[in-house]
Amino acid sequence: MAAYNEEHEIGRAIESILAQTFIDWELIVIDDGSTDATADVVRRYAEKDRRINLVCNVTNMELSASLNKGIGLAQADLIARADADDINLPERLSKQYEYMQAHIEIDVLGTAAYLLDETGQRVNSYSHPLTHAELKKLPFIKIQFFHPSVMIRRKFFDAAGLYDPHYPNAEDKEIWLRGLSVGCCYANLPEPLIEYSTSGYVKSWRSILKHAFSLLRIAKDLKIEHGYSLTLLLFAYTAAIKLKIYKPKSLRIH
């Protein structure tokens, strides 16, 4: 779990890990140079539970570097991602662990998610495609997983490498494509096992531009057919959400 200035949210995220029915875990929290009380909140939990390990970056290294540090410190063969502003439902780890034990061919396993709006209320649930065959055929601008839902075998990183900091705000997209290129196998569970904070999918212009430039770089580096035009299409989509011209279907109450 990487965190930057999440003092108001990270306590709930940690509580959701403590509430897991699967108890044989270690939580590594990388505080990425926060300027608020994030580290103090985590430290209070770590003092009560030895399974929680707080690591503080001296400066803000951003997500890829922080995740890579956590992966390097992890001792288990299965590594689960979690975000500091999302909630893990109680059976998340146990259900993913059981699936990974039963399906040794799967390298990365995600789950469906309950989507939370900007007020923190559940408005819908959403699942990415479930099978490897479906996931490998996704268009360039579609993502394979909810990033904070994935459980990953260590051998995935041995085969594909770690997160690449050259693709900020799209490091997950790049590493999943890289994994596919070396033969890694993916799947998603259909059950929502996390509550995913969307903030209405409204991002800052800085974040939107960083994401777009990273996708353009991925399209160039991996020689993605129609990658540039698809990236521009996605940029227009996110800009429309930012300008409140369009509301994603996934956040419309049915």
Side-chain angles (χ1 to χ4, degrees), residues 138-142 173 177 211-236:
L138 284 177
F140 175 59
I141 57 174
K142 297 290 186 179
K173 179 67 179 178
L177 291 175
H211 184 243
F213 281 121
S214 289
L215 287 181
L216 289 172
R217 191 174 296 117
I218 293 171
K220 177 183 178 182
D221 293 347
L222 300 184
K223 298 179 173 59
I224 303 294
E225 186 176 5
H226 307 305
Y228 291 172
S229 57
L230 289 171
T231 298
L232 292 175
L233 180 64
L234 182 60
F235 174 80

Side-chain angles (χ1 to χ4, degrees), residues 138-154:
L138 284 177
F140 175 59
I141 57 174
K142 297 290 186 179
I143 195 71
Q144 285 83 1
F145 306 104
F146 287 107
H147 196 190
S149 82
V150 295
M151 181 174 283
I152 310 171
R153 294 191 196 277
R154 181 175 295 281

Side-chain angles (χ1 to χ4, degrees), residues 43-52:
R43 194 172 289 112
R44 286 196 290 271
Y45 283 99
E47 289 171 352
K48 298 176 182 178
D49 196 314
R50 293 183 179 180
R51 296 174 298 176
I52 300 173

Side-chain angles (χ1 to χ4, degrees), residues 93-105:
L93 294 182
S94 64
K95 290 190 174 183
Q96 287 187 289
Y97 178 82
E98 289 170 3
Y99 187 95
M100 294 292 264
Q101 292 296 101
H103 298 82
I104 60 173
E105 76 281 4

Side-chain angles (χ1 to χ4, degrees), residues 200-203 205 208 232-248 252:
Y201 288 117
V202 177
K203 304 179 184 298
W205 286 114
I208 290 171
L232 292 175
L233 180 64
L234 182 60
F235 174 80
Y237 172 79
T238 53
I241 296 172
K242 172 71 173 176
L243 296 170
K244 298 183 179 180
I245 298 171
Y246 178 79
K247 185 171 185 176
R252 299 175 194 172

Side-chain angles (χ1 to χ4, degrees), residues 64-65 68 161-168 170-171 174-175 178 221:
S64 290
N68 290 340
L162 296 172
Y163 290 93
D164 192 328
H166 293 101
Y167 306 99
E171 53 275 301
E174 191 276 334
I175 200 170
R178 190 161 16 113
D221 293 347

